[in-house]
Amino acid sequence: MTDERRNGNGPVTSIVTKTKPRVKKPSMYKVLLLNDDYTPMDFVVIVLQKYFRKSHEDATRIMLHVHQRGVGICGVFPYDVAESKVVQVVEFARQNQHPLQCTMQSA
Ligand code: TYC
């Protein structure tokens, strides 16, 4: 922004102020998988590989963590991505008649 001032017949002075363009980082959300007594372990491993790009080893580790502790983190994503993962996982589980639940929480 340039602000020009004329002082009578004196010199033209300019004040240049720069506003740093501040770009807000998107808030991040954890996508959580919840344990239940019916969804097969193999199905949960497939979900983690298919929707969260985990290796078979990592997927198995996360699945066992959820199985033992009740809840576990699949990943951390911007709001829209997290929301879309939750919808896709719940829909995939539903199509396969499993009660698997997935949710999101501010990271
Ligand atoms: N508890 C399930 C079983 O014993 C396995 C399971 C793990 C289910 C993780 C859901 O998010 C889950 N078959």
Side-chain angles (χ1 to χ4, degrees):
M1 187 261 263
T2 307
D3 183 21
E4 283 201 347
R5 286 156 201 269
R6 262 166 227 280
N7 307 317
N9 287 327
V12 174
T13 58
S14 297
I15 302 166
V16 179
T17 52
K18 253 193 185 171
T19 345
K20 197 173 178 196
R22 295 211 176 264
V23 182
K24 180 152 79 50
K25 264 198 251 155
S27 348
M28 302 296 274
Y29 285 77
K30 290 182 274 197
V31 173
L32 307 172
L33 215 47
L34 306 180
N35 189 36
D36 66 73
D37 293 338
Y38 307 102
T39 305
M41 290 186 173
D42 288 356
F43 184 81
V44 179
V45 170
I46 289 166
V47 164
L48 287 159
Q49 290 180 288
K50 184 174 163 78
Y51 297 102
F52 300 95
R53 314 221 141 260
K54 301 293 182 190
S55 63
H56 189 270
E57 201 185 351
D58 278 0
T60 304
R61 189 179 46 74
I62 296 168
M63 180 280 295
L64 285 175
H65 174 98
V66 177
H67 175 68
Q68 287 157 5
R69 314 283 283 268
V71 62
I73 302 173
C74 308
V76 179
F77 308 94
Y79 185 92
D80 294 27
V81 179
E83 159 105 271
S84 150
K85 302 259 182 214
V86 169
V87 169
Q88 288 180 78
V89 168
V90 173
E91 178 59 15
F92 183 58
R94 201 193 57 82
Q95 280 168 3
N96 289 275
Q97 278 128 42
H98 297 311
L100 182 64
Q101 284 303 306
C102 184
T103 184
M104 60 198 269
Q105 183 185 295
S106 184

